[in-house]
Amino acid sequence: ATTRGASRPQRHGRLECPYLFRRGGWGGAMADDAFVFSRGISPLGGAVGSQALAPKDPWRTSVLSSTLRAPGPEAATSAAAVGSSAAAGVSDATASIAGVLALGLVGRRAANWRLRRRRRQSAAVALCAAPSMSEPVPTFLDLTPALLSRQPPQIAGYVIREPGERTKAAQVLHHRITNESQYQAVLSLVETYLHKFDLINMIGALHMCAATARDHQLLLRQIQTDPNFVKLFHAAKAEILKDVSALEPRSCSSVLWSCARLNIFDSDLFTAIIASATTRMETFSPQGISMLVFALGFTGQRPRASFMQALVRETKARLETEFDPVVVTSIVYGLMRLGIKDDRLMKLMRNYIVRQGFDDFGNLSIACLSYSLSKLEYFDEQTFALLGSKTLDNIDDFEPVQICMVALAFAKATGTLNETSYYMEKLENRVLNRLDEFDNRSLSTFCFSLGKYRALLEESLNPYGLNGKRQKPARVRVQNPTVEAFVMQVRKREMDTFSMAELNLINYGIMRIGDRDEEFLKELAQTFAENAPEMGPVEISNTLYAFARQDFLHIQCVDALLGELKRRKMLSVEMMSPEGIATIAYSLATLRVKDEEVFEIMSTHVCERVREFSVASISMFLWSMAVLNIRTNAEPLVSACLEHVSELVESGAATANSANIVLWAATVMVGSNCAIWGLRLLFNRRFWENQREESYSMAWIFFATLSAELGVDHSTLYNGNLCKEKYSENNATLSRQNERLSDRLRIQLIPHAVNSLPIALEGSKEAGVRVDIAIEKLRLVIEVEGPQRMTIPLDKLIEKHAVDGGTDPKDFYGRPEEVLMSCRELIECGLSGPASYKRRVLRRCGWRVVTVSFDENEEYIADALEKMIAKAKTTTDVDDDGEDDESFLPQMKEQDGTKRKQTDALFEGPDETNVNVASNMMNVVLPGISFDGDDLTGDKVPDLATMEIKFTPEEKKLRAAHTKAIKEVRRVLMQERGDAAGGKQYKSHLEFRRWQVGVEKKIIADMMASLS
């Protein structure tokens, strides 16, 4: 209530009470009673006000309670009773009261309160409309003439104490502010008359500016930087902080809502208002409460627990009768923005929705509620079923933005509620013909939501098949009508009209749907290459990832994106999240693009801040470096990552499959130099819990390295034989070219072994890795390498083009193996990490290795080998440089009389062999960006916690020596770190890690010497 009749209707739930009253006298007392009763009608029975006044005066309490609570026809009856009572000769004061109440119940529309507020000495008029309820409200006392014949009470104790009066200038300014439609006019008033503004004027001006700037970023920035707005905000803040408790509830909500819409967060202002609202939330209307929660959510400021307790209390008390769909939606939306999933509130809202249904919800409320529930991951089956049915009923009336919100919600729910796939399919079919109504932003968002839905649906239906392998994009394109619709829209609107973020979403959505339109991908890649400076780190990582998953490589685009990352120094943890760094590395490894400078920068940051990375991110990054054969910073990086992961495995914070990937990558990169921390993983009981069958073949690589380089017999270690068995089973595929070469050797009666583990040569250890062709008599291994086991050195390719000209980098596009074949005509492409690792181990075990590329003729090789067998020429020199032994190739060329011929006809597609571990890694344990290995299929190994493990004497001895070695490493490290003088010699953590690697090598060598 405000004084002197200058009030506007105050809403409390569904009760509207405009009223005027004069100071003092019976009229003022009755206005006070009417106000108390109007606020007192509550979901608990509607008589809170009457109970509050009962001790003071039962007479007035009973009269007003009976009259105010009588809805519909009962109101008219009460009014008639009042009239008859007055005619019967009751007192004039009582008749006046009855007349006032009769006027309020019968003709509230006829009262012109805008004119009456100017008559300050007029009689009090209370217009009270009872809330509509589904059930009739019982009347406690009937209004009878006998009851009205009582004498009116003394009014001395009921006179309202009025606050300070508003000046005429303030009232005029308030009228002008509320009638302005442009923020410039409001701020012009601020510039001229700010000294005459009262607090209501200031809050009104803030509200008008916020309403004008809503969803208009340009206007928002203009308002924020306007000097008059700055003056207005600081003046309002100073006035509010003088006494926050005196601020009306409606004004509190309006201030916070305005600040939220204007993207303004003032800690002092928000803290004071929220603290005040917490203590008196019962005085706030439902709309005011929802505005408070919405403002907190929009600014992302989490409230204290006391505020949440007050919110739960008020929601529980007033939800059924006072809250409407807009209030419910605003509260849930605000909680979603805050990231607060309060089980008490969510249960209340869920029961309200299920009981009331969505008949009273508008389209915007349905869209916001669906989106909020999905973001909070509150996937209630009954609630989403009601939302889906209501959405399909009204989908033709939904705006594009609302369709996008619903699509995102149901797409995310697909991973939990299988029934939502029905609604998504119906939604997709009914919306595709309306894409012309979508703006660019809505179009890209809808495409993204469909892609996310397809990805989650395929994941729930086991997309990797019974053998646990990731499905690659099909070589022959099968047109998808959904993708065709989006591609047509992009081309019709022209790609230049889209922002890079919007094209990124479309690219991601098409990738998830599974359609591969190479021409469209080429257009996207060229656009990204031309506009790379406009893209942020997240957009760049997502673009590379989407192209990698679609098996599409565009050299110019990749070079431009990586160039931006280096130029703007975005490859650090400060500029990019750990997941983003891991995603970029994974994408480059999938595309087989090798950029030494990029990986050197990233590996430095990962090594220094490894504890900020999750196990999944570490496994992605190390796997990428291993596949691309990146040796820069390899040893310190592996040492830091393996030490951290081994600690996480011991504490149970890391999955066994992710740790297995880390161990495999570390072995491929540095071999036995990772033994100190690799054995710590191997000897950990948790490492073998819940392992998949595919993971055992990866663990075998570490066993093979221990045997070849350190002389540790794998058969004496726990699970050593099992890992070897699984490795042999999972690497039994043979490539076409390998088969042709083997057939040729068989025809010429050359004894050889095909696709098998080579035997141990005399005086050497067993290699333990599968080879393509092994000729024991010549101590020779022939590796047939396809494009999947090669990498593209990006810097050399760009440099070659810059120096010699020739083919433009933008013409190098397509599948990675196709691009690699074109690049090999200009530069030499190196081998992948697993291929180099295999050669390193084979040479350690006395074998010579010759590489046959996929574009070489196998016939002349077989002829040369036949002549060499006849001469029985062998060599005993063993190199350990990891490079191919080319000493046999000149002899082959001379005996054949020709050079190696390139035969394009022999290449019938990419080499599908799974001989090397990298192929297994790509096809088995890389289902998607999660990279946690938990989505693998296959039989689990029995839980080791229920098994009794018996170790061999050799393993017990090795475990004891390893425990001493770990203690020695930690002792030396603590001594070095405690030496202040010694610590100054390391300029970075990377240098310190290099020193630590040297210590680890020495200690592991001493450990093995003590065992011999």
Side-chain angles (χ1 to χ4, degrees):
T2 54
T3 59
R4 299 188 59 125
S7 66
R8 289 199 171 192
Q10 303 292 320
R11 294 186 179 273
H12 305 282
R14 298 180 181 176
L15 187 61
E16 185 174 307
C17 305
Y19 54 89
L20 309 172
F21 56 89
R22 60 188 177 186
R23 276 186 268 178
W26 174 244
M30 288 308 303
D32 185 16
D33 288 347
F35 174 67
V36 171
F37 272 91
S38 67
R39 296 186 65 89
I41 297 179
S42 70
L44 299 179
V48 176
S50 63
Q51 295 173 6
L53 283 181
K56 297 182 179 179
D57 197 310
W59 185 86
R60 281 192 297 132
T61 300
S62 60
V63 171
L64 291 174
S65 176
S66 302
T67 306
L68 290 175
R69 291 174 55 79
E74 299 180 11
T77 305
S78 301
V82 172
S84 62
S85 300
V90 242
S91 63
D92 295 338
T94 306
S96 301
I97 300 172
V100 170
L101 296 176
L103 176 62
L105 293 169
V106 179
R108 67 184 182 90
R109 294 276 184 186
N112 189 345
W113 62 272
R114 289 185 177 273
L115 295 178
R116 290 179 179 273
R117 70 179 181 179
R118 298 171 184 168
R119 302 174 184 177
R120 301 177 183 176
Q121 303 300 326
S122 62
V125 178
L127 302 178
C128 305
S132 59
M133 299 183 181
S134 58
E135 299 180 1
V137 181
T139 303
F140 292 104
L141 296 174
D142 295 330
L143 188 62
T144 61
L147 186 62
L148 290 174
S149 62
R150 300 180 183 180
Q151 292 296 325
Q154 297 296 325
I155 62 175
Y158 293 96
V159 178
I160 293 179
R161 178 186 173 186
E162 297 185 357
E165 298 182 1
R166 298 188 68 187
T167 63
K168 283 188 174 293
Q171 297 180 43
V172 172
L173 287 171
H174 185 77
H175 177 76
R176 292 187 62 181
I177 290 172
T178 55
N179 285 278
E180 293 292 350
S181 59
Q182 300 294 329
Y183 81 92
Q184 293 92 340
V186 175
L187 294 182
S188 178
L189 292 175
V190 172
E191 182 180 13
T192 307
Y193 301 108
L194 181 59
H195 61 284
K196 295 184 178 182
F197 274 40
D198 62 4
L199 186 55
I200 296 177
N201 296 142
M202 296 178 187
I203 295 175
L206 287 174
H207 187 91
M208 290 298 297
C209 291
T212 304
R214 182 176 180 177
D215 299 328
H216 295 281
Q217 293 298 321
L218 180 60
L219 291 180
L220 177 62
R221 289 191 292 269
Q222 292 175 352
I223 292 175
Q224 289 175 338
T225 57
D226 193 294
N228 295 321
F229 175 78
V230 175
K231 294 178 182 178
L232 171 66
F233 176 78
H234 285 289
K237 174 186 173 182
E239 192 69 22
I240 291 171
L241 294 181
K242 287 181 181 178
D243 187 6
V244 181
S245 60
L247 192 64
E248 288 291 325
R250 183 178 180 181
S251 298
C252 292
S253 303
S254 181
V255 169
L256 292 194
W257 182 88
S258 303
C259 291
R261 280 297 181 185
L262 291 168
N263 286 348
I264 297 173
F265 174 72
D266 187 280
S267 179
D268 296 335
L269 184 63
F270 268 70
T271 302
I273 292 179
I274 292 300
S276 177
T278 302
T279 59
R280 54 188 178 116
M281 192 173 291
E282 66 277 359
T283 64
F284 280 71
S285 66
Q287 289 79 7
I289 295 175
S290 65
M291 290 172 69
L292 288 177
V293 179
F294 175 85
L296 290 174
F298 212 80
T299 55
Q301 303 304 316
R302 296 173 70 93
R304 295 180 180 273
S306 57
F307 178 86
M308 293 303 301
Q309 292 174 359
L311 177 62
V312 172
R313 182 183 65 248
E314 290 302 313
T315 302
K316 186 176 182 180
R318 303 158 67 178
L319 177 62
E320 295 294 339
T321 55
E322 295 188 41
F323 281 31
D324 56 25
V326 176
V327 172
V328 171
T329 304
S330 298
I331 291 177
V332 177
Y333 183 81
L335 293 176
M336 179 271 296
R337 295 291 294 261
L338 289 170
I340 298 176
K341 184 180 177 181
D342 190 287
D343 292 335
R344 300 166 297 176
L345 277 174
M346 300 309 298
K347 185 177 181 180
L348 289 172
M349 298 300 183
R350 183 262 180 197
N351 294 336
Y352 172 83
I353 292 170
V354 172
R355 190 161 45 248
Q356 300 289 339
F358 290 101
D359 294 338
D360 297 333
F361 281 72
N363 294 339
L364 180 60
S365 296
I366 293 174
C368 289
L369 191 61
S370 303
Y371 182 76
S372 302
L373 291 176
S374 67
K375 291 288 286 185
L376 289 173
E377 297 184 355
Y378 189 79
F379 299 117
D380 179 72
E381 185 174 354
Q382 192 172 1
T383 303
F384 272 85
L386 292 173
L387 285 170
S389 301
K390 189 65 176 180
T391 299
L392 294 181
D393 292 341
N394 300 346
I395 193 62
D396 295 334
D397 299 329
F398 272 58
E399 297 180 1
V401 175
Q402 298 168 357
I403 293 175
C404 293
M405 296 179 70
V406 173
L408 286 171
F410 281 93
K412 188 171 184 178
T414 303
T416 306
L417 304 175
N418 295 329
E419 293 78 7
T420 55
S421 59
Y422 167 79
Y423 301 109
M424 280 299 298
E425 294 291 342
K426 293 291 185 182
L427 182 67
E428 178 182 346
N429 295 333
R430 296 181 61 177
V431 172
L432 282 181
N433 57 359
R434 293 182 54 190
L435 293 182
D436 290 333
E437 305 174 15
F438 286 60
D439 58 11
N440 291 353
R441 182 178 180 181
S442 299
L443 182 72
S444 59
T445 305
F446 186 61
C447 181
F448 171 82
S449 64
L450 292 182
K452 187 174 184 179
Y453 157 68
R454 294 292 175 82
L456 293 175
L457 180 63
E458 291 175 2
E459 183 177 339
S460 63
L461 297 177
N462 188 18
Y464 311 111
L466 297 178
N467 58 359
K469 295 184 179 180
R470 180 176 66 91
Q471 295 177 350
K472 292 185 177 182
R475 289 197 151 271
V476 179
R477 184 190 173 206
V478 179
Q479 294 185 350
N480 186 297
T482 301
V483 174
E484 288 294 328
F486 285 108
V487 171
M488 183 183 67
Q489 286 292 330
V490 173
R491 287 174 172 164
K492 182 170 65 175
R493 305 180 188 200
E494 296 185 0
M495 206 165 288
D496 293 339
T497 62
F498 289 83
S499 67
M500 295 301 102
E502 293 164 352
L503 291 178
N504 227 316
L505 292 177
I506 293 176
N507 188 23
Y508 183 90
I510 292 177
M511 175 268 293
R512 287 298 192 186
I513 294 174
D515 193 350
R516 186 181 185 277
D517 187 343
E518 188 162 297
E519 287 301 319
F520 181 69
L521 293 177
K522 176 186 175 183
E523 296 174 15
L524 279 176
Q526 290 178 346
T527 303
F528 288 139
E530 294 170 359
N531 300 277
E534 302 178 15
M535 302 175 68
V538 177
E539 294 171 348
I540 291 176
S541 63
N542 289 343
T543 299
L544 292 173
Y545 176 74
F547 283 147
R549 289 296 301 271
Q550 294 179 90
D551 209 20
F552 178 79
L553 173 59
H554 193 284
I555 292 295
Q556 183 188 21
C557 177
V558 172
D559 180 57
L561 297 181
L562 295 182
E564 280 301 308
L565 292 175
K566 291 182 285 187
R567 182 181 67 85
R568 291 153 62 183
K569 299 180 180 179
M570 293 189 294
L571 291 171
S572 62
V573 180
E574 292 82 3
M575 294 290 294
M576 186 178 294
S577 66
E579 291 77 13
I581 292 177
T583 301
I584 290 177
Y586 167 78
S587 303
L588 294 177
T590 306
L591 295 172
R592 296 298 189 268
V593 175
K594 184 177 181 179
D595 191 311
E596 294 278 359
E597 183 180 358
V598 168
F599 276 93
E600 181 180 1
I601 298 173
M602 291 193 297
S603 60
T604 301
H605 289 286
V606 174
C607 182
E608 293 178 351
R609 310 181 70 166
V610 66
R611 297 189 179 275
E612 299 179 19
F613 285 71
S614 65
V615 179
S617 298
I618 292 174
S619 61
M620 286 179 67
F621 189 79
L622 284 186
W623 177 87
S624 304
M625 290 193 65
V627 169
L628 293 176
N629 197 22
I630 305 292
R631 307 300 293 271
T632 306
N633 299 334
E635 290 186 346
L637 176 66
V638 166
S639 174
C641 293
L642 262 184
E643 181 181 2
H644 179 55
V645 171
S646 62
E647 294 174 355
L648 294 179
V649 171
E650 287 184 357
S651 62
T655 61
N657 292 291
S658 296
N660 221 326
I661 296 172
V662 173
L663 181 60
W664 174 88
T667 306
V668 170
M669 293 169 66
V670 300
S672 61
N673 292 334
C674 68
I676 190 74
W677 303 116
L679 285 173
R680 186 183 181 189
L681 269 179
L682 209 65
F683 292 157
N684 194 321
R685 190 186 186 100
R686 295 180 183 271
F687 179 77
W688 299 106
E689 293 179 356
N690 300 321
Q691 285 278 13
R692 306 286 182 173
E693 287 194 3
E694 294 81 4
S695 301
Y696 282 92
S697 62
M698 298 175 60
W700 166 249
I701 297 301
F702 183 69
F703 282 103
T705 303
L706 291 178
S707 177
E709 298 185 4
L710 297 181
V712 179
D713 187 1
H714 71 274
S715 61
T716 62
L717 300 179
Y718 176 71
N719 276 339
N721 291 329
L722 177 61
C723 291
K724 183 178 182 180
E725 178 184 349
K726 296 300 181 182
Y727 175 81
S728 302
E729 293 175 357
N730 293 335
N731 290 270
T733 309
L734 195 64
S735 65
R736 297 187 184 95
Q737 190 174 7
N738 200 349
E739 290 178 351
R740 291 194 296 266
L741 180 57
S742 177
D743 292 340
R744 186 70 179 180
L745 295 176
R746 191 178 297 109
I747 291 173
Q748 296 182 356
L749 302 178
I750 299 177
H752 64 283
V754 182
N755 195 23
S756 61
L757 298 178
I759 64 173
L761 297 176
E762 184 178 357
S764 301
K765 303 178 183 66
E766 182 183 2
V769 292
R770 186 179 296 276
V771 299
D772 292 343
I773 293 176
I775 304 176
E776 181 184 356
K777 191 173 183 178
L778 296 177
R779 303 170 65 93
L780 180 66
V781 168
I782 300 177
E783 284 292 302
V784 181
E785 303 294 10
Q788 286 187 336
R789 301 187 211 170
M790 295 184 179
T791 61
I792 302 174
L794 184 62
D795 52 348
K796 293 182 180 179
L797 179 62
I798 300 301
E799 183 181 356
K800 180 71 174 178
H801 171 72
V803 175
D804 300 338
T807 307
D808 196 334
K810 68 180 180 181
D811 295 330
F812 290 112
Y813 69 91
R815 296 184 182 272
E817 59 268 16
E818 297 171 354
V819 176
L820 191 142
M821 291 175 62
S822 301
C823 293
R824 290 185 75 246
E825 299 177 359
L826 300 177
I827 59 174
E828 180 181 355
C829 296
L831 293 173
S832 64
S836 298
Y837 162 79
K838 184 186 295 187
R839 284 153 177 76
R840 186 171 67 245
V841 172
L842 289 171
R843 286 185 171 82
R844 276 291 185 94
C845 296
W847 293 91
R848 290 183 176 272
V849 184
V850 173
T851 299
V852 177
S853 301
F854 60 89
D855 53 358
E856 291 181 310
N857 192 333
E858 64 271 6
E859 294 183 3
Y860 85 92
I861 298 175
D863 295 339
L865 288 174
E866 183 181 13
K867 296 177 181 179
M868 293 173 64
I869 289 287
K871 295 181 179 180
K873 292 183 177 181
T874 60
T875 181
T876 58
D877 296 332
V878 179
D879 299 327
D880 191 25
D881 55 1
E883 301 297 331
D884 283 343
D885 188 351
E886 301 291 348
S887 60
F888 285 101
L889 297 182
Q891 301 177 39
M892 293 180 183
K893 295 176 184 178
E894 293 175 1
Q895 295 168 5
D896 185 71
T898 59
K899 294 184 178 181
R900 287 178 289 179
K901 301 178 181 178
Q902 295 183 354
T903 54
D904 296 335
L906 291 177
F907 182 66
E908 302 174 0
D911 189 1
E912 299 296 338
T913 179
N914 288 333
V915 172
N916 60 75
V917 182
S919 299
N920 286 331
M921 186 70 182
M922 195 63 189
N923 294 330
V924 178
V925 296
L926 294 181
I929 192 62
S930 64
F931 209 89
D932 56 6
D934 294 334
D935 296 326
L936 299 176
T937 59
D939 298 331
K940 292 185 178 180
V941 176
D943 188 3
L944 296 181
T946 61
M947 298 174 58
E948 182 180 356
I949 304 176
K950 295 183 179 180
F951 301 118
T952 62
E954 293 83 359
E955 181 169 359
K956 291 180 179 179
K957 188 176 180 181
L958 179 61
R959 284 174 176 264
H962 178 261
T963 302
K964 294 181 180 179
I966 289 290
K967 292 181 179 179
E968 179 64 16
V969 169
R970 288 174 175 171
R971 185 193 66 79
V972 175
L973 293 181
M974 292 180 64
Q975 180 179 355
E976 184 70 14
R977 289 169 180 168
D979 186 359
K984 295 181 180 180
Q985 62 181 333
Y986 306 112
K987 297 180 180 179
S988 64
H989 181 75
L990 188 65
E991 290 189 9
F992 179 80
R993 270 289 171 181
R994 287 198 178 99
W995 170 83
Q996 180 176 333
V997 168
V999 172
E1000 293 170 1
K1001 289 180 180 180
K1002 181 180 182 301
I1003 292 177
I1004 200 69
D1006 295 340
M1007 182 190 77
M1008 296 309 301
S1010 65
L1011 294 174
S1012 59

